Amino acid sequence: MARIRQQRAEITREAILNGAAVAFDAAGFGGTSLSEVVRNAGVTKGALYFHFPSKEALARTLIEEQFQVSSDVPALKSPGLQTVIDLSHRMASGLRDNVRVRAAIRLVIEFGSFTDPDPSPYNTWIETCRTCLTPAQARGDVKPSLDVDDVATFLVGSFTGIQVTSHVRTHREDLHARITDLWDFLLPGIVPAGRVPRFVPAGSPECRAELGLAPAA
């Protein structure tokens, strides 16, 4: 019985997160009420409060969802520059196809902008990029004159701006193309000239197959 109750509780929690993601993605944090979340999720307010004590707690949980995209990085034996390129396309795919990722990123932008900004999600992504770029530089794939902290910070800021612009202009239909442009322009500036052909700005064949994208030209 305890196992069944636990399974039901997890199903309810997932339904609440899905319902909240739809609401936050559509209206943002300020424009979403818990009544809308309950209606979307098909649960009672009591069930919602059992799992999440407040709207902010619910939002914070969703914000953490984005980091599932990079959850396998710590287990990689040789993370590098192509890892970061592929991560950027995985995040682009999540923004296009996964409402929970979209809600998480909208919440990050809202919470990290003007009123009592929270830099922690940006810092987490910067640290993930740094974790990959540091060994890449040691292998000679990143110019030794560059500070990998600066490169990682630039990448996270650039991706944020590109995805927002893509959302406004095309509802992110062109996001993979714009991320490919980012890497096309950036790689010659951060990679020694002879090593640039080693990297695929549009994402590695394995990454593109995983995401259901056509092979890169």
Side-chain angles (χ1 to χ4, degrees), residues 17 20-21 24 57-66 100 103-104 107:
L17 288 171
F24 287 137
L58 183 52
R60 296 288 179 186
T61 301
L62 274 174
I63 284 173
E64 294 298 315
E65 290 275 314
Q66 65 185 295
R100 281 165 69 156
L107 290 166

Side-chain angles (χ1 to χ4, degrees), residues 69-154:
V69 173
S70 59
S71 61
D72 62 340
V73 169
L76 295 177
K77 291 183 179 179
S78 300
L81 183 53
Q82 189 65 52
T83 307
V84 181
I85 295 171
D86 289 352
L87 277 176
S88 67
H89 284 286
R90 287 194 178 103
M91 179 57 77
S93 184
L95 283 165
R96 291 184 60 183
D97 303 329
N98 188 325
V99 70
R100 281 165 69 156
V101 173
R102 286 199 302 275
I105 295 302
R106 174 161 184 165
L107 290 166
V108 164
I109 292 171
E110 289 188 14
F111 285 12
S113 298
F114 302 108
T115 304
D116 192 24
D118 177 12
S120 56
Y122 296 102
N123 291 338
T124 298
W125 278 117
I126 290 168
E127 176 59 31
T128 297
C129 291
R130 182 167 49 232
T131 297
C132 299
L133 293 174
T134 299
Q137 188 175 54
R139 291 193 294 268
D141 290 336
V142 175
K143 292 178 179 180
S145 60
L146 297 179
D147 185 318
V148 292
D149 287 348
D150 291 343
V151 176
T153 302
F154 174 81

